[in-house]
Amino acid sequence: MSGTLYLTTPIYYVNDAPHLGHAYTTIAADAMARYRRLAGDEVFFLTGTDEHGDKIAQSAAKSGLTPQALADRNSGLFRETWRRLGITNDDFIRTTEPRHEKVVQAFLQRMWDAGEIYLGTYGGHYCFGCERFYTEKEIVDGKCPDHLTPLTWIEEENYFFKMSGYQRWLTEYIEGHPDLIRPERYRNEILGFLRDPLQDLSISRPRRRLEWGIPLPFDDKYVTYVWFDALINYVSALGGPGQPRFEKFWPAAHHLIGKDILKPHAIYWPCMLKAAGLDVYRHLVVHGFWNIGGGKMSKSVGNVVEAFALAEKYGNDAFRYFVLREMTFGLDSDFSEEAFVGRLNADLANDLGNLVSRATTLIAAARAPGPASAPGAGDDELRAKADQTRQGVERAMGDFAFQRALAEIWEFIGAVNRYVDATQPWALAKDAARAAQLDRVLLTLADALRFLGVVLDPFLPDAALKVRAAIGDHRPPRLADAVLGRIDAIPRVEKLSGLFPRIEDRKPPPAGAGKATDGGTISIDDFSKVQLRVGEVIAAEAVPKSKKLLKLTVSLGSEQRTIVAGIAQHYAPGDLVGKKVVVVANLQAAKLMGIPSQGMVLAGSTDDDGVLAVLTLDRDLPPGARVR
């Protein structure tokens, strides 16, 4: 690691409020920024909002607002959410700010003067949600591969960047810099894309169609394409070429993004920088998607989880821990409150919380300490484990592997818990002759808590601060202090319990649950609790290693759900696509063969010959219609 880091998140589109996907990227960046500061590096951490383009203009019109008013409102929501989540960004850039517009226009003029931009005509399939054209190869069933919505054919005169001329250079640059794009799977994806001819990039939109954007400096009848505008924020936030902050931090630029915006960052942006005579960023670091109910979390498919609602319910540190620990960086991961609570109870409440509680209780209750005995084998092993943990965390953070870093720390927590069980300080306290041995154990435990108060700081900043305060360590945390064996006296310690309280399911069983009325019947009130809705099967596939199960994607109108149904012996997947079926919509989610299933498709069967038939409709009703 170098001594300087320029770390950026994407700038988030202001057509809606922050959600889990935004929060994950920002928390991951925050954890990295905190870690590098802890290591003594100079960090500039940038986030912000992307505020121009078709989608903002359309959303504003629907809301009865001006685009600027919508941008002001929703950009404020992002800024406030990051404040409440404890994000430590050094700057917050908005693409409607004059400082950004000035740099964008200078960037464009520089490329125009160099002959890198020309006026031409283009027609293509356009997604207003992504604000980009898609090639035939990228389109899935005539729809946007990200939003799963129909594309619009647009043909118009625009200005183009001669990006095709940089294909060979970009390919050779990526091949010559193996760690430019990480993890490697995304580097390979981009190299695969570059095997096909690279097209020139449309960088403008005519003002007769779209007013909301930065005017081109050489033709004010056009505004800048939102992606071209947005990418330049990484330069404009530093003041632009020649400015001291730019010259200091740009050589250490690390862009942290989700995989859905890989192409603009891995292809458009390096070519733009090269054409403008600027160096390419140091690293592009790419993470996967959060899946909700078996599908990518997305506002457009109705399964967004609001970031702050979760943090407010469970606490910022628990939220940070879950998202950083649960996702293997670069791969997709599943989110559910059940998994969240499981992690909180097992890792935070049981492992860390119990250790801190019993260690501080033992130390706080101890009599006046005397000279401690010499360190024993257990103490030496724990000291070596701390060194190993610190080195393992450093390696993991070098790879942006937050889950590995936390796993290293939790191995140390496990080792300390085993040390307590092996030394049994509660038993030593009953024997005055073993006082020196007890003091050695308590000294080692205090040392271990001091270590954890430092190494946990990037990941669980609130909990780490409480641990340091409990053991009387009020110094600013430094990674250099994460070493065991540097204290020779037991500090004054305050008992710290309830660091992460367990989450108990206190919901009472429904009245009369499991009991039927006379004759095995149920009341109309009980039946009214079952929500039956019309669902349309839009995709179906066999579940690997199962002869009975099919995985169905079912539209309920306002949302899509994954439902696992035991009907594979009676229906081929293709037989179900397009059918209208009846779904139990409020059934508790369950996992079948590792796949979250959100509901049940109703079917009838005979007992004698086992014939099964899925319930369908004899008249057409829209997906989501209530079945009564």
Side-chain angles (χ1 to χ4, degrees), residues 68 73 96 188 198 230 389 416 454 592 628:
Q68 187 66 62
R73 184 191 70 186
T96 53
N188 294 338
L198 192 60
T389 298
V416 180
V454 174
L592 299 174
R628 306 177 189 277

Side-chain angles (χ1 to χ4, degrees), residues 122-144:
Y122 180 78
H125 298 281
Y126 189 77
C127 174
F128 284 94
C130 297
E131 306 228 18
R132 57 163 287 200
F133 289 97
Y134 279 97
T135 65
E136 294 291 345
K137 184 177 179 180
E138 295 174 300
I139 296 170
V140 178
D141 298 329
K143 297 179 180 179
C144 167

Side-chain angles (χ1 to χ4, degrees), residues 16 89 117 127 134 168 189 227 245 302 369 400 434 464 498 537 543 552 581 621 627:
D16 199 27
N89 52 293
I117 297 173
C127 174
Y134 279 97
R168 181 174 179 180
E189 181 178 330
W227 264 113
R245 182 177 284 172
F400 280 73
R434 304 178 74 183
V537 180
V543 174
L552 310 178
V581 297
L621 291 174
V627 178

Side-chain angles (χ1 to χ4, degrees), residues 33 38 58 133-134 202 209 214 221 223 228 272 289 314 330 353 377 423 450 461 533 588 594 618:
L38 195 70
Q58 292 173 3
F133 289 97
Y134 279 97
S202 172
R209 180 167 71 81
I214 297 175
K221 296 190 297 296
V223 295
F228 197 95
M272 290 165 58
F289 289 147
Y314 296 107
T423 56
R450 188 185 297 265
R533 297 193 180 275
Q588 184 175 352
D618 66 348

Side-chain angles (χ1 to χ4, degrees), residues 333-613:
S333 188
D334 292 327
F335 178 89
S336 71
E337 283 201 60
E338 181 183 8
F340 191 121
V341 171
R343 279 279 188 200
L344 193 161
N345 285 341
D347 297 359
L348 297 178
N350 289 358
D351 294 343
L352 176 61
N354 282 349
L355 170 63
V356 171
S357 178
R358 64 177 178 167
T360 56
T361 299
L362 287 164
I363 300 169
R367 51 158 184 73
S373 63
D379 305 286
D380 292 339
E381 288 174 7
L382 210 54
R383 185 180 302 180
K385 184 64 177 176
D387 292 340
Q388 177 186 334
T389 298
R390 192 181 64 256
Q391 293 165 15
V393 169
E394 181 176 352
R395 287 191 299 271
M397 294 300 281
D399 294 333
F400 280 73
F402 304 99
Q403 80 289 350
R404 278 182 20 222
L406 286 166
E408 292 279 355
I409 295 171
W410 252 252
E411 284 189 21
F412 178 77
I413 291 171
V416 180
N417 274 317
R418 291 190 294 274
Y419 173 83
V420 175
D421 293 338
T423 56
Q424 298 185 3
W426 53 87
L428 296 176
K430 297 176 183 179
D431 187 349
R434 304 178 74 183
Q437 189 178 350
L438 172 63
D439 288 344
R440 168 52 58 189
V441 171
L442 298 181
L443 185 62
T444 297
L445 286 178
D447 215 2
L449 292 180
R450 188 185 297 265
F451 175 86
L452 287 171
V454 174
V455 296
L456 284 172
D457 190 76
F459 313 102
L460 308 176
D462 295 341
L465 178 62
K466 290 177 182 178
V467 170
R468 294 196 303 272
I471 61 172
D473 187 357
H474 301 293
R475 301 169 299 170
R478 300 186 313 145
L479 195 59
D481 293 330
V483 179
L484 263 62
R486 290 186 176 177
I487 60 174
D488 53 14
I490 300 172
R492 181 181 294 275
V493 169
E494 295 181 4
K495 181 179 177 181
L496 178 57
S497 58
L499 187 62
F500 288 101
R502 283 185 60 84
I503 304 298
E504 304 292 349
D505 185 1
R506 297 187 177 91
K507 291 183 294 185
K515 298 178 181 178
T517 57
D518 293 343
T521 60
I522 62 173
S523 69
I524 188 65
D525 289 336
D526 286 337
F527 179 76
S528 67
K529 296 174 184 176
V530 181
Q531 293 183 17
L532 301 177
R533 297 193 180 275
V534 175
E536 181 177 4
V537 180
I538 59 176
E541 61 183 284
V543 174
K545 299 182 181 179
S546 174
K547 296 180 180 179
K548 298 182 178 180
L549 300 179
L550 291 180
K551 177 183 173 183
L552 310 178
T553 302
V554 180
S555 171
L556 297 183
S558 62
E559 64 175 314
Q560 291 181 8
R561 293 195 185 182
T562 298
I563 297 177
V564 180
I567 55 178
Q569 293 175 317
H570 305 274
Y571 290 90
D575 295 338
L576 294 166
V577 176
K579 281 188 180 294
K580 298 283 184 69
V581 297
V582 179
V583 173
V584 181
N586 63 337
L587 189 66
Q588 184 175 352
K591 274 193 175 182
L592 299 174
M593 297 290 287
I595 302 171
S597 181
Q598 299 176 297
M600 175 187 292
V601 174
L602 295 186
S605 64
T606 58
D607 293 330
D608 51 349
D609 57 5
V611 173
L612 180 143

